[in-house]
């Protein structure tokens, strides 16, 4: 029986700042990481969607946007 699953890839912090906002990886680096994961796991991709979620609780306890991509794929 075929099922669906997903894997989320959030933008990673490339530089942390105590006062200013952190610097995050760009979209090209994010897609490159997702492509590497897809190749490594040999998954059958169904769809890819963008993610934007507002949250808090990082190391500075400041609310901010999390963004990334979600890869939907088939599993046996």
């Amino acid at each position: 029986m075929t099922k669906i699953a997903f894997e989320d890839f959030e933008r990673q912090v490339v530089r942390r700042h105590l006062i200013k906002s952190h610097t995050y990886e760009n979209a090209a680096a994010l897609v490159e990481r997702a492509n590497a994961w897809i190749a490594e796991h040999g998954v059958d991709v169904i769809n890819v969607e963008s993610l934007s979620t507002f949250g808090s609780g990082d190391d500075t306890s400041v609310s901010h946007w999390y963004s990334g991509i979600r890869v939907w794929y088939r599993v046996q």
Side-chain angles (χ1 to χ4, degrees):
M1 175 182 206
T2 302
K3 297 181 180 184
I4 63 169
F6 66 90
E7 184 73 23
D8 288 343
F9 298 88
E10 290 184 10
R11 290 174 58 203
Q12 293 181 342
V13 176
V14 294
R15 191 172 316 139
R16 296 189 181 275
H17 297 280
L18 293 176
I19 299 171
K20 299 188 300 183
S21 298
H22 297 323
T23 302
Y24 293 88
E25 71 182 330
N26 62 27
L30 176 62
V31 170
E32 187 175 316
R33 267 195 311 117
N35 280 328
W37 180 88
I38 291 166
E40 179 182 333
H41 291 85
V43 298
D44 180 16
V45 176
I46 300 169
N47 193 33
V48 178
E49 61 188 13
S50 60
L51 299 175
S52 293
T53 306
F54 190 73
S56 63
D58 66 351
D59 59 347
T60 62
S61 297
V62 175
S63 296
H64 63 279
W65 285 96
Y66 295 98
S67 63
I69 57 176
R70 175 171 286 165
V71 176
W72 291 93
Y73 61 97
R74 290 183 180 89
V75 294
Q76 298 289 337

